[in-house]
Amino acid sequence: MGIKRGVSFYSYQQAQFFGEMDYHDMCRELRETLGCDGVEIINETTVPKYPFPTREFLADWHNTMARYDLTPVALDGFLDTLRFRDHVMTRKEAGELLKLDLQLAADMGFKHVRTMTGLPSEVIEWALDTAVKLDVKIAWEIHTPIPIKPDPTIQGLYCESPGTAVYDTVEFIKKTGTKHVGFVPDMGIFTKAPYLDVVEAAVRHMKDRKFAANVEAMMKEVPLAELGEAIEKKYPGRLSPQEKRSFAWKTVAQPEDIELILPYICSIHGKVHDMIEVAPGVYDDPSTMNAEVIEVLKKNNWNGYICTEFEGQRSRQDQGREHLADEVDQVRRHHQMLKRLIGE
Amino acid sequence: MFDNNVFIEGTCKNVVENGEIIGYEMETNITYYRGIPLSMVNFVAVEVDGIKVPEEDIRFTPDHIDWFTLKEMETVATIKWEYGIPATVRVLQKGGLSKGSHEVKLTVCTRTAYIPFPLEGNMTRTVIIE
């Protein structure tokens, strides 16, 4: 009972890419080092021949879960709307794809499919019977810039009405009374500063190295959250629009907002870009309100998994192998923080 | 992402079939974090010493079993290019690459979820043909 820890294998994508880890290695890391049991996967990254894996794969999967005493939590599905060249995927086609993910989730023992953010109710409706039949929930990810509280001014690339998407789905759940629809909030909606790795990449790419050195000096003095504004004040107009975006950040949800959707949360993405050492051997994420959100969850006796989703790979991939993120270490640091905040 | 790895080092070589060099090929890793069906490879382009290879001379295979032209790939929504598994890009050109050094540029453009425009990964490598 209570808050449990897990890992999205998205976190180890680079290690998998370079052949350093396969899913067995990831499972062993969870059990033997992190001491946690929650597993989340990306369908087309972990499952060969998706959406129709071999029986051999499924047997190996279940055996691996048993060997390391792990719990399949969420299967991440995607809707590649540009998959066909003669038309954009229709909502009914998306619903059919979702059914395949639900079946795969059932076959692999997952309790819910995490779908793309702002999933339209028509797609959910098309696949809902299958979700009920298989007893696998459809849970769409609440990803920035989508807020929890309705805010129609919010616009973004992700869906037609991002500002009210959560509200619309809650209305759908209430109207239908379904127990098979919910959310996977991403901790990235609770930001309190820009992502450090993104800031560092922006500084690394500045052509004016003297200016970059000045910014680096400011980083030692000014809190991360205030850095962008402080640079703009001291060096007006010096940041390019792209650089400005790297220093900008926005809180799209407050920790207490999560209470509004608590009964519908299937699991949480512990989004993290950069874990820093704040005291000897003590790690923290400088960009996200982890402590505040976990406090709200504890106060409400929420039961469920927070699955670490380390996403600090991309900002470093312009460099050689020796400078790439150490995913395994970052996830270990994140779990050290989670344990501390959960009170394990 | 992973643009630095779109053209796998040391894989570009001439292809010999029945004693004849029929072209050259190179291996590529997907520049994304998931496997995708081939229809989501928006295009592949090869440039050698600054000259673009005609699109119709390019062949693509995710497994060395099924080979496709770029045009054919547009309708292949079931066969997958798996994550982390190198695919092969072959250019049909009698005689292949001549002996010596060449600047070979490979571009692989993919359609991905969430992002409403295709993403290009490209990389140039100096290739020595002995």
Side-chain angles (χ1 to χ4, degrees), chain A residues 145-292:
Chain A
I146 291 186
I148 295 175
K149 274 187 177 167
D151 179 355
T153 63
I154 299 224
Q155 296 297 323
L157 294 171
Y158 299 112
C159 63
E160 281 166 10
S161 319
T164 57
V166 171
Y167 176 81
D168 295 343
T169 297
V170 169
E171 286 299 297
F172 176 85
I173 294 168
K174 286 182 178 167
K175 188 183 80 191
T176 57
T178 180
K179 299 260 184 279
H180 287 87
V181 177
F183 302 103
V184 175
D186 179 282
M187 290 294 280
I189 60 178
F190 303 108
T191 45
K192 60 177 182 182
Y195 290 118
L196 184 58
D197 64 313
V198 175
V199 166
E200 285 173 347
V203 175
R204 194 164 63 240
H205 290 144
M206 283 175 177
K207 288 205 173 63
D208 183 346
R209 294 316 303 162
K210 203 175 158 195
F211 178 53
N214 290 336
V215 171
E216 274 170 348
M218 286 179 78
M219 285 172 73
K220 294 193 180 96
E221 307 292 329
V222 181
L224 190 57
E226 297 162 24
L227 192 58
E229 274 182 29
I231 297 169
E232 200 51 42
K233 205 169 164 188
K234 197 167 177 188
Y235 305 99
R238 287 289 293 278
L239 290 174
S240 70
Q242 195 190 347
E243 286 163 353
K244 258 189 199 169
R245 277 197 292 278
S246 300
F247 289 91
W249 59 280
K250 190 181 174 196
T251 305
V252 301
Q254 294 300 328
E256 57 273 19
D257 293 354
I258 210 159
E259 290 181 339
L260 299 170
I261 52 166
L262 224 43
Y264 317 121
I265 297 179
C266 296
S267 64
I268 294 174
H269 269 181
K271 163 75 61 63
V272 56
H273 276 242
D274 222 322
M275 294 297 297
I276 57 168
E277 195 169 22
V278 289
V282 180
Y283 299 100
D284 202 4
D285 169 0
S287 310
T288 310
M289 291 189 267
N290 288 292
E292 296 85 342

Side-chain angles (χ1 to χ4, degrees), chain A residues 10 13-14 16-18 42 44-45 48-50 78 80 82-83 85 114 116 158 314 317-319, chain B residues 1-2 4-5 29-30 33-35 37 39-42 74 77 80 82-83 111 113-116:
Chain A
Y10 177 98
Q13 57 179 274
Q14 201 167 262
Q16 184 179 344
F17 183 91
F18 289 118
I42 304 280
E44 285 155 309
T45 310
K49 302 188 187 298
Y50 166 88
F78 293 79
D80 293 307
L82 301 178
R83 168 182 231 177
R85 297 300 180 95
R114 183 242 50 168
M116 288 175 68
Y158 299 112
R314 248 168 290 172
Q317 284 172 345
D318 56 308
Q319 309 177 92
Chain B
M1 66 197 289
F2 293 133
N4 290 343
N5 303 286
N29 260 325
I30 199 160
Y33 61 84
R34 297 162 53 218
S39 62
M40 284 170 60
V41 178
N42 203 44
E74 292 181 6
K80 302 286 294 294
E82 300 282 4
Y83 182 69
R111 297 165 163 236
Y114 290 108
I115 306 192

Side-chain angles (χ1 to χ4, degrees), chain A residues 73-100:
Chain A
V73 174
L75 178 136
D76 292 11
F78 293 79
L79 297 171
D80 293 307
T81 52
L82 301 178
R83 168 182 231 177
F84 311 109
R85 297 300 180 95
D86 58 346
H87 68 287
V88 174
M89 185 182 286
T90 69
R91 292 184 176 194
K92 287 182 181 177
E93 281 180 315
E96 288 300 324
L97 260 186
L98 179 50
K99 288 183 193 173
L100 292 179

Side-chain angles (χ1 to χ4, degrees), chain A residues 3 5 294-295 298 335-344:
Chain A
I3 302 172
R5 292 177 292 118
I294 289 174
E295 208 43 54
K298 280 160 73 174
H335 276 249
Q336 192 219 52
M337 179 196 73
L338 286 179
K339 273 191 199 172
R340 188 176 69 243
L341 297 178
I342 294 167
E344 252 185 65

